[in-house]
């Protein structure tokens, strides 16, 4: 009887893990279904010492980076955490509110926290500092999207 109960509990744990992984994958598939997506890490609460301009020779910390997927949606970029079951984006960035301050390569601990081919973009979103990390190809597309703002909309790209 104890052996049967142990096998039943083990089977339920395995089934729960498999269902969780399936739902996780299904969510990502649904986010990417409409196209216009790219891998993008985001750091919303940028430590003061990591903001441009930083003191020379002081590498930024790797803290605060969250891996995600961003999706273009008209004049907005919806950002979804990869490791989440939430169906809605965690952040929405309006094109008119984004000001690009600097572009740099990951340094120090950031190299471990980000994907290997990432470029870090220091930005302000409605005056609040944030950083985005994405591949060079995604960065080219993102900057082109920013510059393609409708007439009369100001866009600040460094």
């Amino acid at each position: 009887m104890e052996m049967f109960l142990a096998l039943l509990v083990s089977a339920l744990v395995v089934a729960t893990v498999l269902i969780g992984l399936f739902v996780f994958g299904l969510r990502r598939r649904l986010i990417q279904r409409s196209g216009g997506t790219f891998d993008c890490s985001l750091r919303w609460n940028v430590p003061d010492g990591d903001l441009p301009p930083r003191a020379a020779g002081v590498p930024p910390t790797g803290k605060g980076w969250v891996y995600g997927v961003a999706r273009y949606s008209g004049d907005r970029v919806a950002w979804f955490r990869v490791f989440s079951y939430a169906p809605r984006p965690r952040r929405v960035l309006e094109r008119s509110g984004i000001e690009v301050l600097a572009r740099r390569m990951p340094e120090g601990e950031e190299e471990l926290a980000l994907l290997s081919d990432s470029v870090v973009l220091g930005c302000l979103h409605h005056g609040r500092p944030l950083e985005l990390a994405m591949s060079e190809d995604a960065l080219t597309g993102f900057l082109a999207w920013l510059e393609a703002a409708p007439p009369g909309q100001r866009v600040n790209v460094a």
Side-chain angles (χ1 to χ4, degrees):
M1 181 65 175
E2 289 179 23
M3 183 67 140
F4 175 74
L5 188 56
L7 285 174
L8 181 63
V9 169
S10 297
L12 287 174
V13 168
V14 168
T16 302
V17 168
L18 290 176
I19 290 170
L21 289 174
F22 175 76
V23 171
F24 196 66
L26 180 64
R27 175 186 170 268
R28 182 164 176 135
R29 192 80 152 146
L30 290 173
I31 291 169
Q32 293 178 325
R33 168 179 67 168
S34 62
T37 62
F38 57 98
D39 291 335
C40 178
S41 294
L42 176 116
R43 182 159 65 162
W44 191 258
N45 296 316
V46 181
D48 290 339
D50 288 358
L51 283 173
R54 289 191 320 275
V58 177
T61 64
K63 295 179 181 175
W65 285 106
V66 181
Y67 183 58
V69 174
R71 180 177 65 198
Y72 295 109
S73 178
D75 284 338
R76 296 184 170 134
V77 169
W79 183 84
F80 300 82
R81 287 179 70 132
V82 165
F83 301 108
S84 172
Y85 291 108
R88 293 188 166 199
R90 184 67 168 232
R91 302 274 184 226
V92 176
L93 307 175
E94 294 88 17
R95 178 174 16 208
S96 62
I98 299 172
E99 182 180 346
V100 176
L101 302 175
R103 178 194 318 195
R104 63 180 175 79
M105 299 306 291
E107 303 172 24
E109 296 173 15
E110 283 183 325
E111 293 182 54
L112 301 173
L114 300 172
L115 296 175
S116 62
D117 64 342
S118 292
V119 176
V120 177
L121 204 59
C123 303
L124 291 176
H125 183 251
H126 294 294
R128 186 170 183 181
L130 68 98
E131 289 184 317
L132 301 168
M134 59 192 83
S135 71
E136 192 72 49
D137 291 342
L139 176 65
T140 301
F142 182 77
L143 293 175
W145 173 79
L146 277 178
E147 291 174 356
Q153 220 180 54
R154 72 169 181 81
V155 175
N156 297 317
V157 178

PDB file of all heavy atoms in Angstrom, residues 111-147:
ATOM      1  N   GLU A 111      27.794  40.360 -18.227  1.00  0.00           N
ATOM      2  CA  GLU A 111      28.103  39.370 -19.255  1.00  0.00           C
ATOM      3  C   GLU A 111      27.539  37.998 -18.891  1.00  0.00           C
ATOM      4  O   GLU A 111      27.195  37.218 -19.767  1.00  0.00           O
ATOM      5  CB  GLU A 111      29.607  39.288 -19.482  1.00  0.00           C
ATOM      6  CG  GLU A 111      30.172  40.547 -20.098  1.00  0.00           C
ATOM      7  CD  GLU A 111      31.656  40.452 -20.358  1.00  0.00           C
ATOM      8  OE1 GLU A 111      32.075  39.495 -21.030  1.00  0.00           O
ATOM      9  OE2 GLU A 111      32.387  41.332 -19.872  1.00  0.00           O
ATOM     10  N   LEU A 112      27.430  37.726 -17.594  1.00  0.00           N
ATOM     11  CA  LEU A 112      26.865  36.462 -17.135  1.00  0.00           C
ATOM     12  C   LEU A 112      25.344  36.516 -17.070  1.00  0.00           C
ATOM     13  O   LEU A 112      24.674  35.490 -17.205  1.00  0.00           O
ATOM     14  CB  LEU A 112      27.426  36.112 -15.744  1.00  0.00           C
ATOM     15  CG  LEU A 112      28.937  35.984 -15.650  1.00  0.00           C
ATOM     16  CD1 LEU A 112      29.371  35.815 -14.205  1.00  0.00           C
ATOM     17  CD2 LEU A 112      29.432  34.832 -16.509  1.00  0.00           C
ATOM     18  N   ALA A 113      24.784  37.701 -16.852  1.00  0.00           N
ATOM     19  CA  ALA A 113      23.342  37.852 -16.681  1.00  0.00           C
ATOM     20  C   ALA A 113      22.588  37.967 -18.009  1.00  0.00           C
ATOM     21  O   ALA A 113      21.381  37.766 -18.042  1.00  0.00           O
ATOM     22  CB  ALA A 113      23.049  39.076 -15.825  1.00  0.00           C
ATOM     23  N   LEU A 114      23.294  38.276 -19.105  1.00  0.00           N
ATOM     24  CA  LEU A 114      22.640  38.515 -20.388  1.00  0.00           C
ATOM     25  C   LEU A 114      23.060  37.472 -21.421  1.00  0.00           C
ATOM     26  O   LEU A 114      24.071  36.796 -21.260  1.00  0.00           O
ATOM     27  CB  LEU A 114      22.997  39.913 -20.895  1.00  0.00           C
ATOM     28  CG  LEU A 114      22.579  41.073 -19.987  1.00  0.00           C
ATOM     29  CD1 LEU A 114      23.161  42.378 -20.507  1.00  0.00           C
ATOM     30  CD2 LEU A 114      21.078  41.147 -19.879  1.00  0.00           C
ATOM     31  N   LEU A 115      22.290  37.389 -22.499  1.00  0.00           N
ATOM     32  CA  LEU A 115      22.654  36.503 -23.603  1.00  0.00           C
ATOM     33  C   LEU A 115      23.975  36.965 -24.204  1.00  0.00           C
ATOM     34  O   LEU A 115      24.299  38.159 -24.173  1.00  0.00           O
ATOM     35  CB  LEU A 115      21.553  36.502 -24.666  1.00  0.00           C
ATOM     36  CG  LEU A 115      20.205  35.939 -24.219  1.00  0.00           C
ATOM     37  CD1 LEU A 115      19.171  36.112 -25.325  1.00  0.00           C
ATOM     38  CD2 LEU A 115      20.337  34.471 -23.847  1.00  0.00           C
ATOM     39  N   SER A 116      24.715  36.049 -24.790  1.00  0.00           N
ATOM     40  CA  SER A 116      26.083  36.334 -25.222  1.00  0.00           C
ATOM     41  C   SER A 116      26.214  37.416 -26.283  1.00  0.00           C
ATOM     42  O   SER A 116      27.212  38.113 -26.333  1.00  0.00           O
ATOM     43  CB  SER A 116      26.747  35.040 -25.710  1.00  0.00           C
ATOM     44  OG  SER A 116      26.044  34.541 -26.826  1.00  0.00           O
ATOM     45  N   ASP A 117      25.235  37.585 -27.145  1.00  0.00           N
ATOM     46  CA  ASP A 117      25.366  38.575 -28.222  1.00  0.00           C
ATOM     47  C   ASP A 117      24.623  39.878 -27.933  1.00  0.00           C
ATOM     48  O   ASP A 117      24.337  40.652 -28.834  1.00  0.00           O
ATOM     49  CB  ASP A 117      24.881  37.978 -29.541  1.00  0.00           C
ATOM     50  CG  ASP A 117      23.395  37.650 -29.516  1.00  0.00           C
ATOM     51  OD1 ASP A 117      22.818  37.550 -28.412  1.00  0.00           O
ATOM     52  OD2 ASP A 117      22.807  37.489 -30.605  1.00  0.00           O
ATOM     53  N   SER A 118      24.331  40.139 -26.672  1.00  0.00           N
ATOM     54  CA  SER A 118      23.505  41.301 -26.310  1.00  0.00           C
ATOM     55  C   SER A 118      24.243  42.627 -26.390  1.00  0.00           C
ATOM     56  O   SER A 118      25.442  42.708 -26.143  1.00  0.00           O
ATOM     57  CB  SER A 118      22.970  41.147 -24.883  1.00  0.00           C
ATOM     58  OG  SER A 118      22.050  40.093 -24.818  1.00  0.00           O
ATOM     59  N   VAL A 119      23.476  43.650 -26.734  1.00  0.00           N
ATOM     60  CA  VAL A 119      23.913  45.042 -26.680  1.00  0.00           C
ATOM     61  C   VAL A 119      22.957  45.719 -25.704  1.00  0.00           C
ATOM     62  O   VAL A 119      21.750  45.497 -25.747  1.00  0.00           O
ATOM     63  CB  VAL A 119      23.825  45.719 -28.067  1.00  0.00           C
ATOM     64  CG1 VAL A 119      24.197  47.186 -27.986  1.00  0.00           C
ATOM     65  CG2 VAL A 119      24.692  44.987 -29.062  1.00  0.00           C
ATOM     66  N   VAL A 120      23.484  46.555 -24.816  1.00  0.00           N
ATOM     67  CA  VAL A 120      22.669  47.214 -23.800  1.00  0.00           C
ATOM     68  C   VAL A 120      22.329  48.623 -24.271  1.00  0.00           C
ATOM     69  O   VAL A 120      23.199  49.372 -24.709  1.00  0.00           O
ATOM     70  CB  VAL A 120      23.406  47.270 -22.443  1.00  0.00           C
ATOM     71  CG1 VAL A 120      22.578  48.020 -21.404  1.00  0.00           C
ATOM     72  CG2 VAL A 120      23.725  45.864 -21.954  1.00  0.00           C
ATOM     73  N   LEU A 121      21.063  48.959 -24.173  1.00  0.00           N
ATOM     74  CA  LEU A 121      20.570  50.269 -24.558  1.00  0.00           C
ATOM     75  C   LEU A 121      20.058  50.972 -23.303  1.00  0.00           C
ATOM     76  O   LEU A 121      19.106  50.514 -22.676  1.00  0.00           O
ATOM     77  CB  LEU A 121      19.426  50.092 -25.562  1.00  0.00           C
ATOM     78  CG  LEU A 121      19.083  51.207 -26.514  1.00  0.00           C
ATOM     79  CD1 LEU A 121      20.280  51.565 -27.379  1.00  0.00           C
ATOM     80  CD2 LEU A 121      17.919  50.794 -27.388  1.00  0.00           C
ATOM     81  N   GLY A 122      20.720  52.049 -22.899  1.00  0.00           N
ATOM     82  CA  GLY A 122      20.274  52.838 -21.754  1.00  0.00           C
ATOM     83  C   GLY A 122      19.215  53.823 -22.208  1.00  0.00           C
ATOM     84  O   GLY A 122      19.422  54.564 -23.163  1.00  0.00           O
ATOM     85  N   CYS A 123      18.065  53.814 -21.543  1.00  0.00           N
ATOM     86  CA  CYS A 123      16.932  54.631 -21.975  1.00  0.00           C
ATOM     87  C   CYS A 123      16.240  55.307 -20.798  1.00  0.00           C
ATOM     88  O   CYS A 123      16.451  54.939 -19.639  1.00  0.00           O
ATOM     89  CB  CYS A 123      15.876  53.756 -22.662  1.00  0.00           C
ATOM     90  SG  CYS A 123      16.432  52.803 -24.065  1.00  0.00           S
ATOM     91  N   LEU A 124      15.403  56.257 -21.138  1.00  0.00           N
ATOM     92  CA  LEU A 124      14.425  56.819 -20.216  1.00  0.00           C
ATOM     93  C   LEU A 124      13.064  56.513 -20.821  1.00  0.00           C
ATOM     94  O   LEU A 124      12.872  56.647 -22.034  1.00  0.00           O
ATOM     95  CB  LEU A 124      14.580  58.327 -20.064  1.00  0.00           C
ATOM     96  CG  LEU A 124      15.811  58.854 -19.340  1.00  0.00           C
ATOM     97  CD1 LEU A 124      15.824  60.378 -19.382  1.00  0.00           C
ATOM     98  CD2 LEU A 124      15.843  58.364 -17.909  1.00  0.00           C
ATOM     99  N   HIS A 125      12.111  56.091 -19.997  1.00  0.00           N
ATOM    100  CA  HIS A 125      10.736  55.901 -20.447  1.00  0.00           C
ATOM    101  C   HIS A 125       9.863  56.805 -19.593  1.00  0.00           C
ATOM    102  O   HIS A 125       9.682  56.557 -18.407  1.00  0.00           O
ATOM    103  CB  HIS A 125      10.303  54.435 -20.334  1.00  0.00           C
ATOM    104  CG  HIS A 125       8.932  54.208 -20.857  1.00  0.00           C
ATOM    105  ND1 HIS A 125       7.871  53.931 -20.044  1.00  0.00           N
ATOM    106  CD2 HIS A 125       8.451  54.240 -22.127  1.00  0.00           C
ATOM    107  CE1 HIS A 125       6.781  53.793 -20.784  1.00  0.00           C
ATOM    108  NE2 HIS A 125       7.107  53.968 -22.052  1.00  0.00           N
ATOM    109  N   HIS A 126       9.384  57.873 -20.200  1.00  0.00           N
ATOM    110  CA  HIS A 126       8.645  58.920 -19.483  1.00  0.00           C
ATOM    111  C   HIS A 126       9.437  59.391 -18.260  1.00  0.00           C
ATOM    112  O   HIS A 126       8.901  59.533 -17.167  1.00  0.00           O
ATOM    113  CB  HIS A 126       7.256  58.427 -19.073  1.00  0.00           C
ATOM    114  CG  HIS A 126       6.363  58.148 -20.234  1.00  0.00           C
ATOM    115  ND1 HIS A 126       5.923  59.130 -21.086  1.00  0.00           N
ATOM    116  CD2 HIS A 126       5.844  56.977 -20.698  1.00  0.00           C
ATOM    117  CE1 HIS A 126       5.162  58.586 -22.020  1.00  0.00           C
ATOM    118  NE2 HIS A 126       5.101  57.289 -21.812  1.00  0.00           N
ATOM    119  N   GLY A 127      10.748  59.572 -18.456  1.00  0.00           N
ATOM    120  CA  GLY A 127      11.624  60.093 -17.415  1.00  0.00           C
ATOM    121  C   GLY A 127      12.148  59.062 -16.438  1.00  0.00           C
ATOM    122  O   GLY A 127      12.984  59.366 -15.599  1.00  0.00           O
ATOM    123  N   ARG A 128      11.697  57.816 -16.538  1.00  0.00           N
ATOM    124  CA  ARG A 128      12.153  56.758 -15.626  1.00  0.00           C
ATOM    125  C   ARG A 128      13.250  55.937 -16.308  1.00  0.00           C
ATOM    126  O   ARG A 128      13.050  55.452 -17.421  1.00  0.00           O
ATOM    127  CB  ARG A 128      10.984  55.857 -15.258  1.00  0.00           C
ATOM    128  CG  ARG A 128      11.356  54.842 -14.227  1.00  0.00           C
ATOM    129  CD  ARG A 128      10.157  54.141 -13.702  1.00  0.00           C
ATOM    130  NE  ARG A 128      10.592  53.230 -12.652  1.00  0.00           N
ATOM    131  CZ  ARG A 128       9.783  52.450 -11.999  1.00  0.00           C
ATOM    132  NH1 ARG A 128       8.492  52.460 -12.271  1.00  0.00           N
ATOM    133  NH2 ARG A 128      10.236  51.638 -11.077  1.00  0.00           N
ATOM    134  N   PRO A 129      14.407  55.767 -15.651  1.00  0.00           N
ATOM    135  CA  PRO A 129      15.510  55.032 -16.292  1.00  0.00           C
ATOM    136  C   PRO A 129      15.213  53.539 -16.421  1.00  0.00           C
ATOM    137  O   PRO A 129      14.606  52.936 -15.538  1.00  0.00           O
ATOM    138  CB  PRO A 129      16.689  55.273 -15.348  1.00  0.00           C
ATOM    139  CG  PRO A 129      16.087  55.613 -14.037  1.00  0.00           C
ATOM    140  CD  PRO A 129      14.768  56.253 -14.317  1.00  0.00           C
ATOM    141  N   LEU A 130      15.642  52.986 -17.553  1.00  0.00           N
ATOM    142  CA  LEU A 130      15.567  51.549 -17.775  1.00  0.00           C
ATOM    143  C   LEU A 130      16.636  51.174 -18.777  1.00  0.00           C
ATOM    144  O   LEU A 130      17.172  52.029 -19.477  1.00  0.00           O
ATOM    145  CB  LEU A 130      14.178  51.123 -18.274  1.00  0.00           C
ATOM    146  CG  LEU A 130      13.750  51.567 -19.669  1.00  0.00           C
ATOM    147  CD1 LEU A 130      13.981  50.452 -20.678  1.00  0.00           C
ATOM    148  CD2 LEU A 130      12.292  51.930 -19.652  1.00  0.00           C
ATOM    149  N   GLU A 131      16.954  49.895 -18.814  1.00  0.00           N
ATOM    150  CA  GLU A 131      17.906  49.390 -19.798  1.00  0.00           C
ATOM    151  C   GLU A 131      17.297  48.196 -20.500  1.00  0.00           C
ATOM    152  O   GLU A 131      16.591  47.393 -19.881  1.00  0.00           O
ATOM    153  CB  GLU A 131      19.230  48.996 -19.138  1.00  0.00           C
ATOM    154  CG  GLU A 131      20.032  50.193 -18.676  1.00  0.00           C
ATOM    155  CD  GLU A 131      21.380  49.821 -18.105  1.00  0.00           C
ATOM    156  OE1 GLU A 131      21.460  48.835 -17.332  1.00  0.00           O
ATOM    157  OE2 GLU A 131      22.357  50.515 -18.426  1.00  0.00           O
ATOM    158  N   LEU A 132      17.564  48.101 -21.780  1.00  0.00           N
ATOM    159  CA  LEU A 132      17.129  46.980 -22.600  1.00  0.00           C
ATOM    160  C   LEU A 132      18.375  46.308 -23.156  1.00  0.00           C
ATOM    161  O   LEU A 132      19.320  46.997 -23.544  1.00  0.00           O
ATOM    162  CB  LEU A 132      16.255  47.471 -23.756  1.00  0.00           C
ATOM    163  CG  LEU A 132      14.988  48.243 -23.388  1.00  0.00           C
ATOM    164  CD1 LEU A 132      14.394  48.896 -24.628  1.00  0.00           C
ATOM    165  CD2 LEU A 132      13.980  47.317 -22.743  1.00  0.00           C
ATOM    166  N   ALA A 133      18.377  44.995 -23.191  1.00  0.00           N
ATOM    167  CA  ALA A 133      19.495  44.259 -23.783  1.00  0.00           C
ATOM    168  C   ALA A 133      18.933  43.326 -24.849  1.00  0.00           C
ATOM    169  O   ALA A 133      18.007  42.551 -24.585  1.00  0.00           O
ATOM    170  CB  ALA A 133      20.242  43.467 -22.712  1.00  0.00           C
ATOM    171  N   MET A 134      19.486  43.438 -26.043  1.00  0.00           N
ATOM    172  CA  MET A 134      18.996  42.640 -27.162  1.00  0.00           C
ATOM    173  C   MET A 134      20.135  42.390 -28.137  1.00  0.00           C
ATOM    174  O   MET A 134      21.197  42.992 -28.012  1.00  0.00           O
ATOM    175  CB  MET A 134      17.834  43.361 -27.849  1.00  0.00           C
ATOM    176  CG  MET A 134      18.194  44.734 -28.388  1.00  0.00           C
ATOM    177  SD  MET A 134      16.789  45.737 -28.902  1.00  0.00           S
ATOM    178  CE  MET A 134      16.251  46.431 -27.351  1.00  0.00           C
ATOM    179  N   SER A 135      19.897  41.517 -29.097  1.00  0.00           N
ATOM    180  CA  SER A 135      20.915  41.228 -30.097  1.00  0.00           C
ATOM    181  C   SER A 135      21.107  42.446 -31.000  1.00  0.00           C
ATOM    182  O   SER A 135      20.266  43.356 -31.048  1.00  0.00           O
ATOM    183  CB  SER A 135      20.499  40.019 -30.940  1.00  0.00           C
ATOM    184  OG  SER A 135      19.414  40.368 -31.781  1.00  0.00           O
ATOM    185  N   GLU A 136      22.196  42.447 -31.724  1.00  0.00           N
ATOM    186  CA  GLU A 136      22.498  43.556 -32.647  1.00  0.00           C
ATOM    187  C   GLU A 136      21.393  43.689 -33.699  1.00  0.00           C
ATOM    188  O   GLU A 136      20.981  44.806 -34.030  1.00  0.00           O
ATOM    189  CB  GLU A 136      23.859  43.314 -33.313  1.00  0.00           C
ATOM    190  CG  GLU A 136      24.416  44.506 -34.050  1.00  0.00           C
ATOM    191  CD  GLU A 136      24.902  45.622 -33.153  1.00  0.00           C
ATOM    192  OE1 GLU A 136      25.646  45.358 -32.206  1.00  0.00           O
ATOM    193  OE2 GLU A 136      24.514  46.786 -33.411  1.00  0.00           O
ATOM    194  N   ASP A 137      20.902  42.569 -34.236  1.00  0.00           N
ATOM    195  CA  ASP A 137      19.827  42.612 -35.235  1.00  0.00           C
ATOM    196  C   ASP A 137      18.545  43.193 -34.643  1.00  0.00           C
ATOM    197  O   ASP A 137      17.874  44.014 -35.274  1.00  0.00           O
ATOM    198  CB  ASP A 137      19.541  41.216 -35.789  1.00  0.00           C
ATOM    199  CG  ASP A 137      20.669  40.685 -36.655  1.00  0.00           C
ATOM    200  OD1 ASP A 137      21.503  41.499 -37.115  1.00  0.00           O
ATOM    201  OD2 ASP A 137      20.723  39.466 -36.871  1.00  0.00           O
ATOM    202  N   ALA A 138      18.190  42.756 -33.428  1.00  0.00           N
ATOM    203  CA  ALA A 138      16.994  43.279 -32.775  1.00  0.00           C
ATOM    204  C   ALA A 138      17.155  44.764 -32.472  1.00  0.00           C
ATOM    205  O   ALA A 138      16.201  45.535 -32.593  1.00  0.00           O
ATOM    206  CB  ALA A 138      16.702  42.492 -31.493  1.00  0.00           C
ATOM    207  N   LEU A 139      18.363  45.172 -32.113  1.00  0.00           N
ATOM    208  CA  LEU A 139      18.636  46.582 -31.826  1.00  0.00           C
ATOM    209  C   LEU A 139      18.442  47.436 -33.075  1.00  0.00           C
ATOM    210  O   LEU A 139      17.836  48.505 -33.016  1.00  0.00           O
ATOM    211  CB  LEU A 139      20.056  46.759 -31.290  1.00  0.00           C
ATOM    212  CG  LEU A 139      20.500  48.192 -31.035  1.00  0.00           C
ATOM    213  CD1 LEU A 139      19.676  48.833 -29.930  1.00  0.00           C
ATOM    214  CD2 LEU A 139      21.969  48.241 -30.691  1.00  0.00           C
ATOM    215  N   THR A 140      18.916  46.963 -34.198  1.00  0.00           N
ATOM    216  CA  THR A 140      18.736  47.685 -35.459  1.00  0.00           C
ATOM    217  C   THR A 140      17.253  47.883 -35.750  1.00  0.00           C
ATOM    218  O   THR A 140      16.814  48.985 -36.095  1.00  0.00           O
ATOM    219  CB  THR A 140      19.415  46.925 -36.619  1.00  0.00           C
ATOM    220  OG1 THR A 140      20.804  46.790 -36.325  1.00  0.00           O
ATOM    221  CG2 THR A 140      19.232  47.644 -37.940  1.00  0.00           C
ATOM    222  N   GLY A 141      16.472  46.824 -35.577  1.00  0.00           N
ATOM    223  CA  GLY A 141      15.031  46.920 -35.791  1.00  0.00           C
ATOM    224  C   GLY A 141      14.359  47.840 -34.792  1.00  0.00           C
ATOM    225  O   GLY A 141      13.466  48.625 -35.148  1.00  0.00           O
ATOM    226  N   PHE A 142      14.783  47.778 -33.526  1.00  0.00           N
ATOM    227  CA  PHE A 142      14.193  48.614 -32.486  1.00  0.00           C
ATOM    228  C   PHE A 142      14.458  50.089 -32.762  1.00  0.00           C
ATOM    229  O   PHE A 142      13.552  50.922 -32.665  1.00  0.00           O
ATOM    230  CB  PHE A 142      14.755  48.209 -31.123  1.00  0.00           C
ATOM    231  CG  PHE A 142      14.181  48.977 -29.964  1.00  0.00           C
ATOM    232  CD1 PHE A 142      12.913  48.678 -29.482  1.00  0.00           C
ATOM    233  CD2 PHE A 142      14.900  49.987 -29.352  1.00  0.00           C
ATOM    234  CE1 PHE A 142      12.376  49.383 -28.423  1.00  0.00           C
ATOM    235  CE2 PHE A 142      14.374  50.695 -28.289  1.00  0.00           C
ATOM    236  CZ  PHE A 142      13.100  50.383 -27.817  1.00  0.00           C
ATOM    237  N   LEU A 143      15.704  50.431 -33.116  1.00  0.00           N
ATOM    238  CA  LEU A 143      16.040  51.826 -33.413  1.00  0.00           C
ATOM    239  C   LEU A 143      15.305  52.316 -34.663  1.00  0.00           C
ATOM    240  O   LEU A 143      14.856  53.469 -34.711  1.00  0.00           O
ATOM    241  CB  LEU A 143      17.550  51.994 -33.558  1.00  0.00           C
ATOM    242  CG  LEU A 143      18.357  51.780 -32.273  1.00  0.00           C
ATOM    243  CD1 LEU A 143      19.849  51.860 -32.558  1.00  0.00           C
ATOM    244  CD2 LEU A 143      17.946  52.759 -31.182  1.00  0.00           C
ATOM    245  N   ALA A 144      15.149  51.450 -35.652  1.00  0.00           N
ATOM    246  CA  ALA A 144      14.392  51.826 -36.853  1.00  0.00           C
ATOM    247  C   ALA A 144      12.925  52.067 -36.499  1.00  0.00           C
ATOM    248  O   ALA A 144      12.305  53.020 -36.989  1.00  0.00           O
ATOM    249  CB  ALA A 144      14.515  50.740 -37.916  1.00  0.00           C
ATOM    250  N   TRP A 145      12.368  51.233 -35.621  1.00  0.00           N
ATOM    251  CA  TRP A 145      10.985  51.406 -35.165  1.00  0.00           C
ATOM    252  C   TRP A 145      10.834  52.738 -34.427  1.00  0.00           C
ATOM    253  O   TRP A 145       9.865  53.466 -34.633  1.00  0.00           O
ATOM    254  CB  TRP A 145      10.586  50.224 -34.277  1.00  0.00           C
ATOM    255  CG  TRP A 145       9.254  50.362 -33.624  1.00  0.00           C
ATOM    256  CD1 TRP A 145       8.031  50.142 -34.191  1.00  0.00           C
ATOM    257  CD2 TRP A 145       9.002  50.746 -32.267  1.00  0.00           C
ATOM    258  NE1 TRP A 145       7.037  50.368 -33.273  1.00  0.00           N
ATOM    259  CE2 TRP A 145       7.608  50.736 -32.079  1.00  0.00           C
ATOM    260  CE3 TRP A 145       9.822  51.093 -31.199  1.00  0.00           C
ATOM    261  CZ2 TRP A 145       7.009  51.059 -30.871  1.00  0.00           C
ATOM    262  CZ3 TRP A 145       9.223  51.396 -29.984  1.00  0.00           C
ATOM    263  CH2 TRP A 145       7.844  51.390 -29.825  1.00  0.00           C
ATOM    264  N   LEU A 146      11.807  53.062 -33.570  1.00  0.00           N
ATOM    265  CA  LEU A 146      11.761  54.330 -32.843  1.00  0.00           C
ATOM    266  C   LEU A 146      11.789  55.514 -33.801  1.00  0.00           C
ATOM    267  O   LEU A 146      11.028  56.479 -33.651  1.00  0.00           O
ATOM    268  CB  LEU A 146      12.943  54.455 -31.883  1.00  0.00           C
ATOM    269  CG  LEU A 146      12.826  53.786 -30.528  1.00  0.00           C
ATOM    270  CD1 LEU A 146      14.113  53.976 -29.736  1.00  0.00           C
ATOM    271  CD2 LEU A 146      11.640  54.306 -29.745  1.00  0.00           C
ATOM    272  N   GLU A 147      12.667  55.462 -34.793  1.00  0.00           N
ATOM    273  CA  GLU A 147      12.823  56.576 -35.728  1.00  0.00           C
ATOM    274  C   GLU A 147      11.670  56.676 -36.720  1.00  0.00           C
ATOM    275  O   GLU A 147      11.491  57.713 -37.355  1.00  0.00           O
ATOM    276  CB  GLU A 147      14.151  56.454 -36.463  1.00  0.00           C
ATOM    277  CG  GLU A 147      15.337  56.683 -35.538  1.00  0.00           C
ATOM    278  CD  GLU A 147      16.673  56.422 -36.193  1.00  0.00           C
ATOM    279  OE1 GLU A 147      16.704  55.990 -37.367  1.00  0.00           O
ATOM    280  OE2 GLU A 147      17.699  56.639 -35.536  1.00  0.00           O
TER     281      GLU A 147
END
